[in-house]
Amino acid sequence: MGRCNGRCTLVGFCCLQLVAALERQIFDFLGYQWAPILANFLHIMAVILGIFGTIQYRSRYLMMYAVWLVLWVGWNAFIICFYLEVGRLSQDRDFIMTFNTSLHRSWWMENGPGCLVTPVLNSNLAPEDHHVITVSGCLLDYQYIEVVSSATQIFLALFGFVYACYVSKVFLEEEDSSGRCWQPRRAGLCHSHPDALLPRDQHPTHATAPQVVPAQPGGAASHVFPPFR
């Protein structure tokens, strides 16, 4: 079909978003980052809604998906600002990612590429269920890994937003041009009235007219109607 180009591209971007969100969800679970976990879950639900709306020609679902992408871009922009400590944001003072329930940091802090973790024994700085460590030798600090991850999410979201707006516009134009569309639509059939689905010989506008039989001598003319189908 001609309109599959935009739809297929949007489904492809949604699949990439889904894979990236699942990958991010796994590492946020490992790092006990509760705020990103909640945001990732909502994002996964919105992406699934976008895929369903694209396949089923539901423009309203695509609009909801596009609105969520705007919020998703804002959330990832905040994460970038948080890890780069823009303005008054501070990782040592603000524990927004864990809802201030623990002192856990990103999983990449201890497991980044080339990182060497050394535990500090007999330290009184850590709470009862935490431990103090020193991290050295990292090829890339965990802040920049989180920034790259958020930037990737923004990149995918921007493309998804553009294609979602385009595909929903195409769906709305088709609905306006065909009026109230009758099922089935996926087969490329769109009828403005249920009678259009009837065979030609059963359509009300093509009904067979009654036949007039000549009257017999001394009798009245009679009408013979075709048998009902």
Side-chain angles (χ1 to χ4, degrees), residues 54-117:
T54 304
I55 296 176
Q56 296 294 325
Y57 297 88
R58 304 295 180 88
S59 58
R60 292 183 180 179
Y61 292 168
L62 288 180
M63 291 178 184
M64 295 172 60
Y65 165 70
V67 171
W68 166 255
L69 289 182
V70 175
L71 301 176
W72 183 245
V73 169
W75 167 251
N76 283 276
F78 169 76
I79 292 180
I80 292 175
C81 294
F82 176 78
Y83 281 106
L84 295 180
E85 297 186 343
V86 177
R88 296 184 178 181
L89 295 174
S90 174
Q91 299 181 56
D92 297 328
R93 184 183 69 252
D94 303 323
F95 296 95
I96 302 174
M97 300 303 168
T98 60
F99 291 132
N100 292 322
T101 58
S102 67
L103 301 179
H104 287 97
R105 302 292 182 88
S106 171
W107 181 82
W108 295 106
M109 180 179 182
E110 303 179 27
N111 301 275
C115 291
L116 179 62
V117 179

Side-chain angles (χ1 to χ4, degrees), residues 96-181:
I96 302 174
M97 300 303 168
T98 60
F99 291 132
N100 292 322
T101 58
S102 67
L103 301 179
H104 287 97
R105 302 292 182 88
S106 171
W107 181 82
W108 295 106
M109 180 179 182
E110 303 179 27
N111 301 275
C115 291
L116 179 62
V117 179
T118 304
V120 178
L121 304 177
N122 300 326
S123 176
N124 297 325
L125 299 177
E128 184 176 338
D129 56 342
H130 290 67
H131 61 278
V132 178
I133 60 173
T134 58
V135 182
S136 60
C138 295
L139 300 178
L140 186 65
D141 291 338
Y142 73 96
Q143 298 98 323
Y144 302 110
I145 297 178
E146 294 288 353
V147 168
V148 171
S149 176
S150 296
T152 303
Q153 295 289 340
I154 292 176
F155 175 79
L156 294 175
L158 291 177
F159 274 92
F161 177 81
V162 172
Y163 274 96
C165 293
Y166 168 73
V167 174
S168 62
K169 180 177 179 294
V170 172
F171 290 170
L172 290 174
E173 289 178 352
E174 290 180 356
E175 292 176 1
D176 292 340
S177 61
S178 60
R180 195 171 290 229
C181 196

Side-chain angles (χ1 to χ4, degrees), residues 7 9 16 45-47 133 154 159 174 193 225:
R7 289 176 57 241
T9 304
L16 289 176
M45 294 297 102
V47 172
I133 60 173
I154 292 176
F159 274 92
E174 290 180 356
H193 195 276
F225 291 88

